[in-house]
Amino acid sequence: MFKRFKVRLWLAGLVIALGILLVWLDPRGPQDVLENAEITLFGDNGSVMQSLKTPRLIHTPQRSETWTEEPEAVLYDSENRQWLASAAVGTLNTATQALLLSGSARLFAPDEGWQLDTELLHYDGLEQHAWSDTPVLMQQPPQQMSASRMDVWLNTSQVRLTDNVRGTHPPATQR
């Protein structure tokens, strides 16, 4: 009877140890939760590539993945110009510098004065290329254009709107 109890105790200990090991190896955990956080990513030459501020951040180091709430990102191009991006939720891969913004995502070009709104905005920080496969609205008041998808290359300030492109370009008013 004592031998059976030892075997059961040993098996229970083994199951608990395996459970702890699986929780530790799980790519979703452990996670670090931060409030009012800021992340800055640098390029190979030491220049700032992008920075992100958020009221709430959850980082999963095993996956190099950071989930953010109401992120406000500053993206830098090769000439160190700033491009502003925001959304309801964001996911940043710190290893690949890939940023995914969802829910009322916006990309704003302060130097050019235009903004682009969409529901899902992808950004490749290494290539400095943003795109969306969901409907987009590009505005530079009083002008506006809509399309089914878009691409933006920050380094060359090029924007390509694709599929079902429609626009409103009121004539210039004379004073």
Side-chain angles (χ1 to χ4, degrees):
M1 184 156 137
F2 181 70
K3 190 174 183 174
R4 251 189 201 174
F5 178 73
K6 264 177 91 173
V7 169
R8 286 184 181 172
L9 185 62
W10 185 83
L11 284 174
L14 182 63
V15 169
I16 290 170
L18 284 173
I20 290 170
L21 179 65
L22 288 174
V23 168
W24 183 73
L25 291 176
D26 185 358
R28 295 172 295 204
Q31 301 175 334
D32 298 323
V33 179
L34 299 172
E35 303 287 329
N36 299 317
E38 184 173 345
I39 296 174
T40 303
L41 300 178
F42 297 89
D44 293 336
N45 63 359
S47 63
V48 176
M49 299 292 286
Q50 58 182 301
S51 67
L52 187 133
K53 289 182 183 177
T54 179
R56 182 172 160 87
L57 172 149
I58 299 173
H59 182 66
T60 308
Q62 296 85 350
R63 295 174 57 193
S64 299
E65 189 170 279
T66 302
W67 176 88
T68 62
E69 189 175 273
E70 298 176 7
E72 293 179 359
V74 180
L75 313 173
Y76 295 88
D77 64 18
S78 59
E79 295 177 17
N80 212 31
R81 291 178 296 186
Q82 295 183 4
W83 302 68
L84 309 177
S86 62
V89 175
T91 305
L92 174 65
N93 183 310
T94 54
T96 63
Q97 295 199 15
L99 177 63
L100 177 61
L101 299 172
S102 59
S104 300
R106 173 170 287 164
L107 180 63
F108 179 63
D111 291 347
E112 287 82 11
W114 59 261
Q115 77 180 34
L116 192 135
D117 296 296
T118 187
E119 278 305 304
L120 194 60
L121 180 67
H122 300 265
Y123 179 67
D124 180 340
L126 299 177
E127 297 293 323
Q128 294 158 320
H129 171 230
W131 72 94
S132 179
D133 293 325
T134 59
V136 297
L137 176 64
M138 182 175 165
Q139 302 177 69
Q140 186 177 31
Q143 303 175 35
Q144 67 178 16
M145 296 185 74
S146 62
S148 297
R149 65 169 269 117
M150 71 85 196
D151 288 276
V152 177
W153 292 270
L154 274 56
N155 289 336
T156 58
S157 296
Q158 289 184 336
V159 177
R160 179 176 63 201
L161 300 172
T162 309
D163 296 333
N164 200 26
V165 178
R166 302 199 187 283
T168 304
H169 303 279
T173 58
Q174 295 186 4
R175 295 182 185 189

